[in-house]
Amino acid sequence: MMLSKEEIKFIQEHAQDDPYQLSLSKGQIDGISLQKLVPQIQARQKLVHKLPSWISNNNVFFPPQLNLEQASSEDTALFKAGLVHGKIIDLTGGMGVDSWAFAKKGNTLTYVERDEKLGQITKHNHQVLLGDSIQHVFGDGIDYMKKHPSEWDYIYLDPARRGSKGEKVILLEDCEPNAIELLPLIENGTQLLIKTSPLLDITRAIQSLQGVNRVWIICVKNEVKELLFLKSKDANMDPILEVHELSLAKSLIFQGKLSDEQEALITHGTLDQYLYEPHAGILKAGFFKSIAGTTLHKLGNNTHLYTSTKLEATFPGRQFQVIAHGNPDKMWIEANIPSGKANISTRNFPMSPEEIRKKWKIKEGGPWTLFAYQDVHQKNVFALTEKCPVN
């Protein structure tokens, strides 16, 4: 047992306390080790939205902070669990959130972790959450795979994105384990699902993996959280890319192929009645032309904003009605934003939102959004807008 009844009671009684202030108390209170329990209280406060099912179980014991940061959220883990089925091996088990989700969906799951101390914590948590439905292995995942070839429907990999000196790395080749070295282990019928940093270049990853079956861009509240690549023997260099927004009931908001994007035609134009800002996942996928369809015009070659005369209410992103637009100068600001308050968004503009605020003394907030961008003639423009109501 990771936590005694007395320790669980202490955590519950101090659940809302400031962990820092609590840590300034004596090393023990009534025989309770604060060094052990303050990090547990801190973790529960930080993860209340990220891991609600785990937080609701009083017997869950949380590992060190670095492991918490690297773990998937429940939402993203359960999404991944909906992509796979059968016998799965998680080669980079870590805190075990993804393994938990795979097993929760009824899959046969083998969890592998090199750090035995972390692995024992995860084994405890899996048992209190799911019982004994997961096999836990402590050791090198690649070595274990080589000793048990051709046993898996899916291999899952979430490689560590830290170099030998603790620096952050992004490329698949620089992560540990190196996903490229796993490719020869993919037998007929076995598929490899890889989770990567949202900063990874998708096209380069497809090339490094010698083709993939599908790519998922996973987002929560307009923020890209994960990239997923599915690889099997029949992978290709032009897979379908899917953009998912997990805060929506129907998460798929856009899909397409990079070849279609390359062949797509787009027209450029000046700002009209409505302005559109694509979802972050669509920008990450690189669908800068496909997203416009036949009804929208792009405001600049490298300015990923779009415009139309009539409202396109199904556009996957933010939609705004244009109030005014003009040259970015003091006279225009005073005439159009007399309150001196607006939200600011920049696209292909030489100044950051913070620099714009400072120069023209614009406070944050209010119902308006000021877009600063470069138009098709490479001219800097301000556009004052109001968000269209959501249907």
Side-chain angles (χ1 to χ4, degrees), residues 146-159:
K146 292 178 179 178
K147 294 175 183 177
H148 302 81
S150 305
E151 291 189 12
W152 319 101
D153 296 308
Y154 289 88
I155 303 166
Y156 176 65
L157 192 69
D158 178 10

Side-chain angles (χ1 to χ4, degrees), residues 57-300:
N57 191 307
N58 294 325
N59 290 299
V60 168
F61 186 87
F62 292 98
Q65 177 67 27
L66 179 60
N67 303 119
L68 302 183
E69 293 174 355
Q70 295 175 339
S72 298
S73 67
E74 277 190 36
D75 287 343
T76 58
L78 290 170
F79 178 87
K80 288 192 283 285
L83 304 177
V84 298
H85 55 84
K87 195 171 182 181
I88 304 167
I89 182 167
D90 182 347
L91 289 185
T92 48
M95 185 176 163
V97 178
D98 289 320
S99 292
W100 162 82
F102 293 142
K104 188 176 177 65
K105 291 284 189 177
N107 297 295
T108 301
L109 201 289
T110 298
Y111 160 102
V112 186
E113 174 55 49
R114 289 191 302 184
D115 183 344
E116 186 169 353
K117 184 176 181 181
L118 172 60
Q120 292 290 358
I121 293 174
T122 299
K123 182 177 180 179
H124 163 81
N125 290 335
H126 283 163
Q127 288 174 337
V128 300
L129 291 166
L130 295 172
D132 293 319
S133 61
I134 297 177
Q135 178 187 8
H136 295 83
V137 176
F138 307 129
D140 184 87
I142 306 298
D143 290 343
Y144 187 83
M145 276 280 301
K146 292 178 179 178
K147 294 175 183 177
H148 302 81
S150 305
E151 291 189 12
W152 319 101
D153 296 308
Y154 289 88
I155 303 166
Y156 176 65
L157 192 69
D158 178 10
R161 295 184 282 275
R162 294 277 180 180
S164 59
K165 299 180 181 179
E167 74 280 11
K168 288 185 178 182
V169 296
I170 297 174
L171 298 180
L172 290 173
E173 298 87 337
D174 296 333
C175 294
E176 176 61 35
N178 180 349
I180 311 305
E181 295 178 354
L182 268 176
L183 299 184
L185 298 179
I186 299 177
E187 302 292 338
N188 291 331
T190 301
Q191 300 186 71
L192 174 64
L193 181 65
I194 307 173
K195 167 188 168 183
T196 77
S197 164
L199 300 178
L200 182 66
D201 182 274
I202 293 174
T203 300
R204 178 165 180 170
I206 294 171
Q207 293 171 345
S208 297
L209 291 168
Q210 301 166 35
V212 300
N213 298 70
R214 192 167 293 251
V215 181
W216 292 271
I217 297 95
I218 311 304
C219 311
V220 178
K221 296 181 179 178
N222 202 33
E223 180 181 354
V224 180
K225 294 293 187 180
E226 299 177 1
L227 302 180
L228 303 175
F229 297 84
L230 183 64
K231 167 76 175 180
S232 74
K233 284 291 186 182
D234 61 350
N236 65 86
M237 300 302 294
D238 190 27
I240 293 176
L241 277 62
E242 294 186 7
V243 181
H244 287 261
E245 171 52 68
L246 299 190
S247 66
L248 301 176
K250 294 182 178 180
S251 68
L252 179 62
I253 60 172
F254 199 81
Q255 67 177 0
K257 293 185 175 183
L258 295 178
S259 60
D260 296 334
E261 170 66 18
Q262 292 171 358
E263 296 171 3
L265 300 176
I266 190 168
T267 58
H268 295 81
T270 56
L271 187 62
D272 216 315
Q273 297 296 311
Y274 295 94
L275 183 148
Y276 305 88
E277 183 181 48
H279 189 282
I282 292 170
L283 295 176
K284 177 60 187 180
F287 293 128
F288 306 130
K289 296 185 291 184
S290 306
I291 192 62
T294 59
T295 57
L296 303 184
H297 303 292
K298 205 163 184 279
L299 290 179

